[in-house]
Amino acid sequence: MRIKTRLIHGGIEGDPHTGAVSVPIYQVSTYKQEAIGVHKGFEYSRTGNPTRHALETYIAEIEGGARGFAFGSGMAALSTILSLFNKGDHLVVGDDVYGGTFRVVTRVFSRLGLEATYVDTSNLEAVEAAIRPETKAIIMETPTNPLLKVSDIAALADVAKAKNVLLIVDNTFMTPYWQNPLDLGADIVFHSATKYLGGHSDVVAGLVVAKDPKVGEDLHFVQNAIGGVLGPQDSWLLLRGMKTLGIRMEEHEQNARTLAKWLSERSDIKRVLYPGLESHSGHELIKKQARGFGGMISFDVGSAERADEVLSKVKYYTLAESLGAVESLISVPARMTHASIPVERRAELGITEGLVRISVGIEDVQDLIEDLEQALS
Ligand SMILES: *Cc1c(COP(=O)(O)O)cnc(C)c1O
């Protein structure tokens, strides 16, 4: 089955009791037992719920892993993964991962004795050099936000295997429609399903898939022990959103590609970052490891003032954090998502004051171009 078909027919289809074509919302906390311990596979909804189970089965199949898990947010998903580790364990983490990832590692799990070193994961030697005897995992994102830097998943998986550590990939930006880290050798893949998987700015959720059944077993233990699970209503919303992931991602990408090309031909734009452009440093690598380039673009309009002006003039781009929904969203990372990073570090990374990020939606691209044109002039 090809990915577009798998998105429609993957996992558990409908309801065998009634013939309902969509999986019902099992709004329930507990389940009747015929005798002690005799039940139909569900005992209590933190441990397992049929709607959430349908979603978990579905994402495991879509990402090609042994087991899937759904959580109340991307951060709850990551925190559960991090709870696999012990005091004194060490992690190698990408140096421009999502801000919330950085925050939970440095300000929560560090207090519990989990150590971390931050490195540029596009530099294999740096990753290898950062691995210590206590290192248990590498955590990475590709492409990153907002600079869209690409790292080689298969090469990092080789490093991880040689050193006997887990490779954990945040696949939020690419989605399983374009990129499957487990097929490239990663051990765990996770998503902020709040973004493209939900796709309609109406649900906050996180998904995790483990390649190996043993890791899946350990994850189920911590998921149930900690309890940051996704509710049945939101599980259903994700199941519904993901049915259209294929057509949405195609449109996001088509529009992003058109906008990036249009922007790169303008003399008043300092630089355009989109991995689908041949000029992008990660273009060849992303072509090797993914089937597409995604729907995120960043470009530098030159100054904070000009960025302000553009943001105040656009009509079809909503000024907001987050990404991956049907509507186009616009932001200035230096003063929004990345404001907590010290100015010097931002400059080092290349997150300039005039850098504008767009999560390109699925509106008519001609309208998106005309709107940006009037805002830039
Ligand atoms: C949003 C996001 C997260 C966090 O997910 P939430 O659903 O907001 O908790 C993690 N990683 C990336 C890349 C994100 O964009």
Side-chain angles (χ1 to χ4, degrees):
M1 231 194 292
R2 293 165 181 85
I3 179 86
K4 260 187 181 163
T5 312
R6 262 194 290 148
L7 284 164
I8 305 300
H9 296 291
I12 293 164
E13 277 190 275
D15 173 31
H17 303 298
T18 61
V21 171
S22 89
V23 173
I25 302 169
Y26 284 90
Q27 194 71 51
V28 62
S29 61
T30 192
Y31 307 79
K32 180 180 170 183
Q33 305 192 6
E34 297 306 325
I36 297 172
V38 181
H39 53 73
K40 298 186 164 69
F42 296 96
E43 291 166 274
Y44 184 63
S45 280
R46 167 160 40 74
T47 316
N49 168 283
T51 316
R52 193 179 91 226
H53 176 67
L55 172 64
E56 293 178 332
T57 307
Y58 181 54
I59 188 64
E61 204 173 304
I62 301 294
E63 281 287 19
R67 226 163 143 175
F69 304 94
F71 298 90
S73 70
M75 291 323 299
L78 176 62
S79 299
T80 303
I81 296 170
L82 293 174
S83 302
L84 292 172
F85 305 112
N86 298 307
K87 180 176 167 191
D89 285 350
H90 172 256
L91 307 170
V92 174
V93 183
D95 66 357
D96 60 349
V97 290
Y98 177 72
T101 299
F102 183 76
R103 179 174 56 197
V104 82
V105 172
T106 55
R107 297 186 56 190
V108 179
F109 283 89
S110 66
R111 289 194 278 108
L112 307 177
L114 195 56
E115 292 179 31
T117 304
Y118 295 87
V119 298
D120 176 354
T121 51
S122 68
N123 180 345
L124 286 179
E125 289 81 53
V127 172
E128 273 193 282
I131 295 176
R132 307 181 199 159
E134 321 80 76
T135 306
K136 290 291 174 345
I138 301 168
I139 301 181
M140 63 172 295
E141 254 171 70
T142 180
T144 60
N145 174 31
L147 298 171
L148 302 161
K149 215 157 68 186
V150 182
S151 292
D152 190 332
I153 300 173
L156 285 159
D158 287 343
V159 171
K161 285 218 168 50
K163 303 275 186 179
N164 200 24
V165 305
L166 295 174
L167 180 65
I168 301 170
V169 180
D170 180 339
N171 202 28
T172 302
F173 268 40
M174 291 306 276
T175 83
Y177 186 71
W178 294 130
Q179 177 172 281
N180 300 107
L182 300 185
D183 291 347
L184 297 164
D187 300 287
I188 297 177
V189 60
F190 74 98
H191 292 272
S192 169
T194 313
K195 316 294 167 55
Y196 286 110
L197 300 186
H200 297 75
S201 302
D202 54 11
V203 59
V204 173
L207 294 174
V208 177
V209 179
K211 173 117 182 162
D212 175 69
K214 174 67 178 68
V215 178
E217 196 65 35
D218 294 347
L219 272 167
H220 184 250
F221 174 80
V222 275
Q223 180 193 40
N224 183 51
I226 296 172
V229 294
L230 191 65
Q233 187 92 30
D234 286 351
S235 294
W236 184 88
L237 269 174
L238 270 190
L239 282 167
R240 185 169 88 152
M242 285 181 65
K243 296 277 180 201
T244 56
L245 185 68
I247 53 168
R248 283 189 288 109
M249 291 316 289
E250 294 283 352
E251 285 295 302
H252 283 299
E253 168 155 325
Q254 189 60 42
N255 284 358
R257 205 193 292 232
T258 308
L259 263 188
K261 186 163 179 296
W262 178 79
L263 282 163
S264 65
E265 283 160 3
R266 289 182 68 100
S267 57
D268 61 343
I269 301 295
K270 273 174 69 181
R271 59 175 183 157
V272 182
L273 298 171
Y274 180 62
L277 291 175
E278 272 170 34
S279 60
H280 190 274
S281 62
H283 182 69
E284 289 307 320
L285 180 54
I286 201 168
K287 267 195 345 203
K288 196 183 79 175
Q289 69 185 9
R291 294 175 291 273
F293 308 105
M296 301 297 299
I297 61 174
S298 294
F299 54 100
D300 196 334
V301 296
S303 67
E305 295 70 36
R306 186 147 188 252
D308 272 338
E309 206 180 309
V310 171
L311 262 56
S312 69
K313 280 186 176 168
V314 286
K315 295 191 305 257
Y316 301 141
Y317 300 83
T318 305
L319 173 60
E321 295 193 1
S322 198
L323 61 106
V326 288
E327 57 273 323
S328 291
L329 301 178
I330 195 163
S331 68
V332 174
R335 278 177 295 149
M336 295 171 70
T337 45
H338 292 65
S340 61
I341 301 174
V343 183
E344 314 81 64
R345 178 73 189 131
R346 279 209 307 263
E348 242 172 67
L349 290 169
I351 303 171
T352 49
E353 301 295 312
L355 194 75
V356 174
R357 187 192 83 176
I358 292 179
S359 168
V360 183
I362 63 170
E363 298 92 342
D364 189 310
V365 74
Q366 211 46 49
D367 286 325
L368 293 179
I369 288 178
E370 283 169 21
D371 191 25
L372 207 49
E373 163 106 78
Q374 64 80 23
L376 283 166
S377 55

